[in-house]
Amino acid sequence: MKRHLPLIAAWLIAAGPALAVTPPAGADHKLPPGIAWQQGDVDAAFALAKSSNKPLFLYWGAVWCPPCNQVKATLFNRQDFIDRTRQFIPVYLDGDSPGAQKLGAQFKVRGYPTMILFKPDGTEITRLPGEVDGERYLSTLELGLTAARPVKALLAAALKGDKLALGDWQLLADYSWDTDQAQLVPEDKLAATLLQLARAVPAGNEALAARLQLKALAAAATADKAPALDKPAAQAALAKVLGNPKLARDNFDVLVNYAGDIAGFVSESGPARDALVKAWDQALQRLAIDATLSTNDRLGAVTAQIALARLGKPEGALSEPLLKTVRAAVADADKRTTNGYERQSVISTAGYTLAQAGLLEESDKLLQAELKRSHSPYYFMLALASNAKQRGDKAAAVDWYEKAYASSEGPATRLQWGTTYVSGAVELAPQDEARIEKAASSVIGELAGTQNAFYERNRRSLEKLVAKLQGWNKDKKHDAAVKRVLGQLSGICGKLPAKDPQKPVCEGLVKPGKAA
């Protein structure tokens, strides 16, 4: 199942009036306050967990990441969560901290945020779902803290047909399959496995079965290769959830984040799809005004309405009633959100929602105003670049990609943003060889001072960068420039110790096929 992160798009208009925003507490906006987070030496934290016989809670995130900021604003600040942290060793791992990407590879964590609960001996218990509401999260955390067996063992037992306790089934249903990274199930078997689990849930626990089935549909709808599926049965199962307000509320995360994907996957244009979309839209309308959901989640329900309206007709104007709903929801979210962490998430969703509705100028204005309020404005600069690209203003898009890279902070983030800048320039200004070479050379030049530059997200950014340059040079028109950049990378490879596992990775980038 692929995690959905909005690709927000907008371009520059005048900034709006100033808004009083509560900044993240303390001088270091990276750390949520109130929790005795362990940082830096993760091995020492695991040793402490073992010696104190306490589980270990690992958070992996990034300062700029909207879902990470949502977790900080709606979960890590809850007193009941803070109180629970006394039961375990809380570890905060920022993707830009020294050694973080190597640790990311060790723990098989990729997407931000990923949250894992370990036993005192270091055995992984479960991965916690960051997209659910606080009550469900805390319930899952409590089950994990008291679980006799890790989710991996529970999954094997369930697939064999063994009898499981109700709490065990709950752990399986609320496991963060989005961040599993094929630890428990290969990606191409995830949908089928979740369907098998849904069928195995004991009678009388229809809510758990429904959640597993919904997650199976999300996995199937977003798979690289669509699996076989009984689509009429899927439509019937969806109708039961959508027609039940409690079930819909309990599964809002799937219904909101995968609305267009699932509806488009299980139905074709015609009466069946029309009926499904109508029921889904009605459920989303209820969720959009549900005061028990966070501002961001309510706004996400409106975004999902747009996704359904775009099924089969991705271009063109939306209906006036829906546009009115979008504008009202965004204005309300902008007005009510004053916490600096939460705004990073809410304005991300709001800008994306406006852009998806075709309201590019309004999206521009919102995002541009946020640049001077956000603790990570470079994130919104990528959104502005994407919107400029959407409207066909290539020059403005590339300029925003450059500004985003120039103002980004942290080694892993700068590598990712720099790669995005190079990729954008190659796509939108391929004739500007000087600019592309300068940008790529700058990105490569920073690697020399980057610890663990060839692990996890860093490695994937570099693979993308090199692939983009090679594609740009497929006709050999930019051979000299690409050779200079790859030569610069080769020099970094040469300085790595012979036994450093990063060395073959680096050399494989310079000369594909040479990696171990």
Side-chain angles (χ1 to χ4, degrees), residues 52 107 121 186 197 240 303 315 411 415 421 439 443 466 470 488 506 514:
S52 60
F107 295 119
D121 66 2
L197 287 175
K240 288 183 180 179
T303 316
E315 304 296 333
L415 178 52
Y421 171 33
V443 173
V466 171
Q470 291 172 337
Q488 186 181 3
C506 184
K514 191 173 181 180

Side-chain angles (χ1 to χ4, degrees), residues 197-368:
L197 287 175
R199 297 188 190 106
V201 173
N205 298 289
E206 285 73 17
L208 288 176
R211 183 159 182 81
L212 284 164
Q213 189 163 28
L214 284 175
K215 290 196 170 188
L217 292 177
T222 57
D224 290 331
K225 184 178 180 181
L229 185 74
D230 184 341
K231 294 186 177 181
Q235 292 171 24
L238 284 166
K240 288 183 180 179
V241 173
L242 296 169
N244 183 321
K246 185 178 186 308
L247 273 181
R249 169 61 180 81
D250 289 346
N251 294 285
F252 79 88
D253 52 318
V254 182
L255 297 181
V256 166
N257 292 329
Y258 298 94
D261 296 294
I262 295 176
F265 179 67
V266 304
S267 65
E268 305 291 339
S269 296
R273 174 176 286 181
D274 292 343
L276 176 62
V277 167
K278 182 179 179 180
W280 208 313
D281 192 70
Q282 289 172 344
L284 292 172
Q285 289 180 42
R286 293 192 299 268
L287 293 171
I289 58 172
D290 189 331
T292 67
L293 290 173
S294 71
T295 300
N296 192 64
D297 291 330
R298 294 199 300 274
L299 186 56
V302 177
T303 316
Q305 288 181 263
I306 298 172
L308 292 178
R310 294 288 189 199
L311 276 178
K313 45 182 178 182
E315 304 296 333
L318 299 175
S319 69
E320 281 303 319
L322 182 51
L323 290 176
K324 183 179 179 180
T325 295
V326 169
R327 288 188 172 106
V330 167
D332 180 67
D334 186 16
K335 181 180 179 180
R336 74 168 53 245
T337 308
T338 58
N339 177 273
Y341 287 131
E342 192 172 15
R343 283 190 70 84
Q344 189 73 9
S345 179
V346 168
I347 299 304
S348 168
T349 301
Y352 177 70
T353 302
L354 289 169
Q356 289 299 99
L359 304 174
L360 289 175
E361 290 188 356
E362 293 169 51
S363 179
D364 297 340
K365 185 175 181 179
L366 180 77
L367 294 168
Q368 177 66 4

